[in-house]
Amino acid sequence: MPPMTTTIAVVNQKGGVGKTTTVASLGAALTEKKQRVLLVDLDPQGGLTFSLGIDPEDVDVTVGAVLLGTSKTEDAIVVTDDGMHLLPSNITVTQAEEALVSRTGREQRLRVALTKVADEYDWILIDCPPTLGVMTVGALSAAQQVLIPLQAETLSHRGVGQLLDTIHDVKQFVNSELHVLGVLPTMFDGRTRHAQAVITAIQETYELPIIEPAIPKTIRFAEAPAFGRSILGTSRTHKGAEAYRQVAASLLA
Ligand code: ADP
Ligand code: MG
């Protein structure tokens, strides 16, 4: 029987490429389609936690406590205004991350923690920090699929080779099931021929599938976190929200 839960790690060691926005928006789009969704914030900056209306400073039990084994997974999960479940993060996760480095099974801990609640969810989306450290490797070890958001601009694909090397290592040594779903172009400006050329170059250089549609560049994404809602909650008919709905539909198909 195929697994009932699909776990996707959203990964790119470059910051500011749209990882957090993708996790929040795809999660909201899947929730609209009556899917049960758990989001995991692995970034000590707590950007996902914040953008879904929860002040990271008010979070008592983080994903860090779960990874260190001082909290059960279900005790750390909170429900957002958008109706999604979230394993939150805040700055204390930095200490958890440091402590994990000398702990046994550090790369397996997220997988084990998520397995305990997986029955409750159709989708688990993991937001990674902008590094290839223990958190990101843990996410790749827990996931079946990897989604790589990439800003369609000059040289923004520097580092993709290193990311693919990490994915390859995880596949070989830890998680042979891992599958690269593809690159999701974000902040895409369709008016420039250049953006399209970058996407083609990535496809040819790395032989990676490109997930469609590309997510358009729009100021609405920057505004949504201020309301503590994803763009789908604040802007029902926006083209950015619509693009994420289409990506969600293709995940369901
Ligand atoms: P990451 O998690 O990779 O660091 P974020 O999702 O936090 O990236 O996005 C970085 C910044 O870019 C945020 O201010 C966000 O609101 C903005 N942003 C994300 N996606 C888009 C988009 N499609 N168009 C315009 N701005 C975007
Ligand atoms: Mg982020």
Side-chain angles (χ1 to χ4, degrees):
M1 214 172 72
M4 310 284 285
T5 312
T6 307
T7 303
I8 303 178
V10 177
V11 182
N12 189 327
Q13 77 273 37
K14 194 170 188 290
V17 297
K19 290 182 291 297
T20 299
T21 304
T22 295
V23 168
S25 306
L26 261 189
L30 288 165
T31 303
E32 281 183 353
K33 296 179 199 303
K34 307 283 178 248
Q35 300 293 296
R36 301 168 303 162
V37 178
L38 174 66
L39 307 183
V40 181
D41 190 353
L42 283 187
D43 189 342
Q45 297 302 318
L48 179 65
T49 301
F50 174 78
S51 74
L52 295 174
I54 295 159
D55 186 342
E57 285 187 26
D58 292 341
V59 173
D60 294 324
V61 186
T62 67
V63 68
V66 172
L67 293 173
L68 289 176
T70 55
S71 169
K72 286 187 180 174
T73 315
E74 60 265 35
D75 293 342
I77 291 172
V78 292
V79 180
T80 74
D81 290 343
D82 282 316
M84 295 178 280
H85 288 197
L86 169 73
L87 255 180
S89 180
N90 65 27
I91 199 68
T92 66
V93 171
T94 310
Q95 283 118 51
E97 196 175 1
E98 282 164 11
L100 275 178
V101 171
S102 61
R103 292 289 196 86
T104 307
R106 57 185 174 271
E107 283 154 2
Q108 307 286 352
R109 284 173 178 241
L110 184 64
R111 182 180 59 75
V112 172
L114 294 180
T115 303
K116 296 193 172 135
V117 296
D119 278 354
E120 311 287 321
Y121 303 104
D122 303 302
W123 300 87
I124 300 178
L125 307 180
I126 309 173
D127 186 25
C128 291
T131 65
L132 291 176
V134 63
M135 292 307 211
T136 295
V137 173
L140 292 171
S141 306
Q144 291 135 315
Q145 318 231 25
V146 191
L147 188 155
I148 306 170
L150 217 113
Q151 216 176 326
E153 280 178 5
T154 336
L155 299 183
S156 72
H157 61 282
R158 265 191 195 167
V160 172
Q162 201 188 355
L163 172 57
L164 293 177
D165 288 347
T166 303
I167 291 170
H168 180 264
D169 283 352
V170 170
K171 254 175 114 153
Q172 192 173 0
F173 299 112
V174 191
N175 179 10
S176 60
E177 309 282 282
L178 191 62
H179 167 78
V180 180
L181 206 56
V183 165
L184 178 65
T186 59
M187 306 178 204
F188 182 73
D189 184 352
R191 292 169 306 180
T192 67
R193 228 179 310 165
H194 173 71
Q196 188 55 55
V198 170
I199 291 175
T200 308
I202 290 160
Q203 199 165 17
E204 286 172 359
T205 309
Y206 303 103
E207 297 180 337
L208 288 171
I210 303 294
I211 299 168
E212 286 178 279
I215 309 301
K217 186 172 200 161
T218 147
I219 188 70
R220 292 289 178 84
F221 283 107
E223 295 168 353
F227 299 102
R229 305 290 299 270
S230 79
I231 189 176
L232 279 78
T234 55
S235 176
R236 294 235 149 257
T237 58
H238 196 270
K239 62 180 180 173
E242 206 42 56
Y244 276 112
R245 285 191 183 101
Q246 286 180 39
V247 173
S250 71
L251 288 178
L252 284 166

